[in-house]
């Protein structure tokens, strides 16, 4: 599982910082989460192939999380994209994007599909044979969702020594990897556990931005491998979280600890602070395994 932070600062883009956007790669699939201004520039800068992005997840309709979307959609068109593009986001995302395309007389030559979200309960919004994506309802000033990416368990791994020892034909290998026992020609039944090793444990990633401190998300993200949780403010400015409906680094760490997550990644920092290392220092007073997100940072996670 690989996380590329394209941007992780709040509010406005600057020459040295970018608003929220990131790429999560899980089980050889690539997903774009949020699309603030400058996302396509960051994609080019970090040599991420546009053609691999087929699913975009927008958390909410504040500009620093989606103002880069229409530009990216238009660039896909200019690059003669052929693959369908699916956009998942709050109700209204379709209207605002199609209005811009219509008024600029721009039309995509590829399939553009919007999956608008309205539910305030967690729901599965994407699923294939490798990955499932569910919403994480968040508490912010507008309707907002986080996203939980869960890798599905893979096939069991062949114990080639045992398979060769029992002289099992290759045509049965996939059946064995799927978990089946094997009956030999002499009638003996060989249990699957003698022919395979356990598969690599599936990985999971939760994206939670923007939101105030909210313990109701804990059951949805419990035991997740990696949690990205917004940490807009340091503790000295905790009073600002009430009306902005954002969280502090310490509050993010409390959520991580109570949910028993593996790793916490901080982000969505207010640009009022000159040194983001302070966010990590504060979070680590509550939760040990903290990573400091920053524009251009790449994290690889392996079990």
């Amino acid at each position: 599982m690989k996380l590329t932070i394209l941007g992780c600062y709040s509010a406005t883009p600057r020459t040295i910082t970018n608003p929220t956007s990131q790429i999560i790669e899980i089980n050889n699939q690539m997903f774009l989460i949020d699309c603030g201004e400058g996302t396509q520039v960051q994609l080019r800068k970090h040599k991420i192939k546009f053609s691999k992005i087929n699913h975009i997840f927008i958390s909410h309709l504040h500009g620093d999380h989606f103002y880069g979307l229409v530009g990216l959609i238009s660039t896909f068109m200019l690059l003669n994209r052929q693959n369908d593009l699916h956009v998942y986001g709050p109700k209204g995302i379709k209207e605002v994007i199609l209005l811009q395309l219509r008024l600029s007389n721009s039309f995509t030559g590829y399939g553009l599909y919007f999956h608008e979200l309205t539910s305030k309960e967690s729901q599965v919004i994407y699923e294939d044979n490798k990955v499932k994506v569910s919403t994480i309802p968040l508490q912010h000033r507008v309707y907002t969702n986080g996203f939980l990416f869960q890798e599905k368990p893979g096939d069991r791994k062949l114990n080639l020594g045992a398979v060769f020892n029992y002289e099992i034909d290759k045509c049965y290998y996939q059946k064995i990897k799927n978990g089946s026992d094997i009956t030999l020609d002499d009638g003996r039944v060989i249990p699957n556990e003698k022919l395979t090793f356990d598969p690599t444990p599936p990985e999971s990633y939760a994206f939670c931005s923007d939101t105030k401190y909210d313990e109701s998300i804990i059951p949805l993200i419990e035991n997740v491998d990696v949690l990205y949780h917004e940490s807009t403010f340091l503790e000295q400015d905790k009073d600002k979280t009430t009306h902005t409906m954002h969280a502090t680094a310490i509050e993010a760490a409390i959520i991580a600890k109570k949910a028993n997550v593996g790793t916490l990644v901080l982000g969505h920092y207010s640009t009022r602070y000159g040194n983001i290392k302070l966010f990590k220092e504060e979070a680590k007073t509550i939760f040990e395994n903290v990573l400091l997100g920053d524009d251009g940072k790449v994290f690889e996670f392996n079990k």
Side-chain angles (χ1 to χ4, degrees):
M1 188 167 66
K2 181 178 179 181
L3 175 65
T4 302
I5 306 288
L6 303 173
C8 66
Y9 289 80
S10 66
T12 60
R14 302 185 298 169
T15 56
I16 56 172
T17 61
N18 292 274
T20 301
S21 185
Q22 56 184 243
I23 290 283
I24 182 69
E25 296 178 61
I26 186 167
N27 206 328
N28 298 314
Q29 296 192 70
M30 181 180 289
F31 303 99
L32 176 64
I33 308 173
D34 278 347
C35 193
E37 289 179 72
T39 292
Q40 61 177 307
V41 175
Q42 287 292 89
L43 289 170
R44 291 186 186 276
K45 182 177 179 180
H46 298 290
K47 297 181 172 56
I48 295 171
K49 291 184 177 180
F50 287 13
S51 60
K52 289 188 175 182
I53 299 173
N54 296 316
H55 300 273
I56 300 176
F57 298 85
I58 302 297
S59 61
H60 64 296
L61 296 183
H62 278 162
D64 55 334
H65 292 259
F66 89 101
Y67 278 173
L69 181 57
V70 71
L72 183 60
I73 288 172
S74 298
T75 294
F76 284 159
M77 174 187 61
L78 295 173
L79 294 176
N80 296 314
R81 179 189 177 95
Q82 299 299 314
N83 293 346
D84 292 344
L85 179 66
H86 294 264
V87 178
Y88 308 78
K91 183 175 177 58
I93 187 72
K94 179 178 180 179
E95 178 183 1
V96 71
I97 295 300
L98 292 187
L99 176 64
Q100 293 175 87
L101 293 177
R102 179 171 61 82
L103 293 181
S104 63
N105 197 30
S106 301
F107 300 95
T108 63
Y110 56 89
L112 177 59
Y113 299 94
F114 292 91
H115 306 265
E116 294 194 309
L117 309 173
T118 58
S119 176
K120 294 184 179 180
E121 302 293 328
S122 179
Q123 61 180 146
V124 176
I125 57 175
Y126 173 78
E127 186 170 15
D128 59 23
N129 61 349
K130 292 184 177 180
V131 178
K132 180 174 73 172
V133 185
S134 307
T135 57
I136 305 170
L138 300 177
Q139 298 296 317
H140 194 43
R141 301 192 305 277
V142 297
Y143 176 76
T144 306
N145 284 299
F147 302 103
L148 174 62
F149 296 80
Q150 294 173 291
E151 183 181 26
K152 293 187 175 180
D155 292 340
R156 296 186 64 78
K157 297 181 179 181
L158 283 179
N159 180 341
L160 291 176
V163 170
F164 292 154
N165 182 57
Y166 288 111
E167 298 182 344
I168 297 172
D169 193 275
K170 289 183 178 179
C171 68
Y172 294 106
Y173 284 6
Q174 187 58 53
K175 184 178 180 181
I176 295 171
K177 289 195 289 184
N178 289 341
S180 296
D181 300 334
I182 292 296
T183 302
L184 302 180
D185 292 340
D186 61 11
R188 285 182 295 161
V189 176
I190 309 302
N192 186 267
E193 57 265 27
K194 289 189 175 182
L195 301 173
T196 60
F197 301 112
D198 290 338
T200 302
E203 296 183 294
S204 54
Y205 175 69
F207 171 89
C208 293
S209 183
D210 295 6
T211 184
K212 69 175 185 178
Y213 178 80
D214 180 18
E215 293 188 359
S216 71
I217 70 173
I218 291 174
L220 300 176
I221 63 173
E222 195 168 16
N223 299 318
V224 75
D225 292 307
V226 181
L227 167 65
Y228 176 92
H229 194 289
E230 76 129 278
S231 53
T232 305
F233 297 110
L234 293 174
E235 202 65 14
Q236 68 193 44
D237 294 310
K238 186 175 180 179
D239 61 303
K240 293 179 172 62
T241 63
T242 302
H243 69 275
T244 63
M245 297 187 77
H246 283 299
T248 67
I250 283 182
E251 288 175 330
I254 293 172
I255 292 291
K257 184 174 183 178
K258 290 189 173 184
N260 192 37
V261 308
T263 299
L264 170 65
V265 181
L266 299 176
H268 200 265
Y269 317 111
S270 169
T271 54
R272 73 185 64 237
Y273 305 109
N275 183 3
I276 63 171
K277 291 182 180 179
L278 297 175
F279 288 88
K280 184 175 181 178
E281 291 176 8
E282 289 197 353
K284 283 179 70 70
T285 63
I286 303 294
F287 184 79
E288 179 61 28
N289 197 10
V290 179
L291 297 176
L292 198 61
D294 203 358
D295 295 2
K297 275 200 172 182
V298 179
F299 302 105
E300 295 199 36
F301 305 98
N302 299 289
K303 284 192 173 181

